[in-house]
């Protein structure tokens, strides 16, 4: 498993709610590549609750949407926009969890559309949420216009978590 470098980190105007580490109200996601999968290990926090001690469904949907975009960045080496997002809530995720794990992978490509499956597990390994994101992917020229050049991993291999 290797940590993915954020290709936007030093870009002027970058303030993504999902992945910008400097966004004071953001969720500060970081991503890792594990073979065909993109992973994120994230700590739920009380300010993101819906019901008492329960992670808000909109935040879960945001987590799913964000990690799916990183599948596009890393695996397809381009950018895109969300075309469709489907989320299925199986079990509540508590905001008191030590950590949750998101795992995403590209299921298939149909023309410029990437179908990405995402799963969220609680700290006990129980699958709590499933999602499918459909991304319209941009051609290389459009991605470059948006400032995207590549999405790489850091040099060293990390131990599996």
């Amino acid at each position: 498993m290797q940590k993915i470098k954020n290709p936007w980190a030093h870009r002027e105007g970058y303030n993504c709610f999902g992945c910008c580490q400097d966004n004071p109200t953001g969720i500060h996601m970081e991503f890792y590549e594990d073979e065909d999968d993109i992973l994120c290990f994230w700590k739920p926090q009380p300010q993101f609750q819906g019901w008492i001690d329960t992670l808000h469904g909109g935040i879960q949907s945001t987590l799913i949407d964000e990690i799916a975009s990183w599948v596009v960045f890393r695996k397809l080496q381009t950018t895109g926009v969300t075309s469709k997002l489907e989320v299925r809530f199986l079990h509540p995720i508590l905001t008191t969890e030590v950590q949750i794990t998101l795992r995403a992978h590209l299921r298939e490509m149909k023309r410029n559309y990437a179908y990405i499956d995402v799963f969220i597990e609680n700290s006990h390994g129980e699958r709590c949420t499933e999602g499918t994101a459909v991304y319209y992917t941009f051609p290389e020229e459009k991605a470059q216009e948006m400032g995207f050049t590549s999405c790489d991993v850091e040099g060293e291999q990390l131990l599996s978590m």
Side-chain angles (χ1 to χ4, degrees):
M1 177 168 34
Q2 291 179 285
K3 186 170 191 220
I4 300 173
K5 294 179 186 177
N6 186 330
W8 316 107
H10 302 292
R11 187 167 173 83
E12 187 176 332
Y14 164 69
N15 196 35
C16 178
F17 178 75
C19 63
C20 179
Q21 300 304 306
D22 297 326
N23 183 328
T25 60
I27 55 177
H28 307 136
M29 296 173 75
E30 294 183 326
F31 303 94
Y32 300 85
E33 182 176 51
D34 185 25
E35 297 181 9
D36 291 337
D37 292 342
I38 302 299
L39 281 82
C40 175
F41 307 100
W42 191 76
K43 167 74 175 102
Q45 297 167 27
Q47 70 265 30
F48 299 125
Q49 75 176 340
W51 180 244
I52 297 169
D53 291 336
T54 304
L55 188 61
H56 193 284
I59 295 296
Q60 292 181 58
S61 298
T62 300
L63 292 166
I64 289 169
D65 186 37
E66 184 68 19
I67 195 170
S69 71
W70 282 75
V71 171
V72 172
F73 300 156
R74 177 66 189 145
K75 296 301 186 180
L76 302 177
Q77 291 294 311
T78 191
T79 60
V81 292
T82 308
S83 176
K84 183 177 182 181
L85 184 65
E86 294 180 359
V87 180
R88 184 166 176 236
F89 303 100
L90 307 172
H91 302 284
I93 297 174
L94 300 179
T95 54
T96 56
E97 287 283 342
V98 175
Q99 173 180 283
I100 61 173
T101 302
L102 291 93
R103 182 176 294 270
H105 65 270
L106 179 66
R107 180 180 3 120
E108 66 179 312
M109 286 292 301
K110 290 184 180 177
R111 297 186 188 183
N112 285 7
Y113 290 93
Y115 292 77
I116 300 161
D117 292 329
V118 181
F119 308 102
I120 304 177
E121 295 179 348
N122 63 19
S123 60
H124 305 290
E126 179 181 32
R127 186 175 288 180
C128 296
T129 310
E130 300 175 339
T132 299
V134 181
Y135 266 75
Y136 176 79
T137 60
F138 294 146
E140 183 179 348
E141 307 79 43
K142 175 69 174 170
Q144 287 176 351
E145 284 176 25
M146 297 180 70
F148 182 83
T149 55
S150 68
C151 183
D152 303 313
V153 292
E154 293 183 0
E156 63 187 66
Q157 186 82 10
L158 302 173
L159 296 175
S160 295
M161 295 183 159

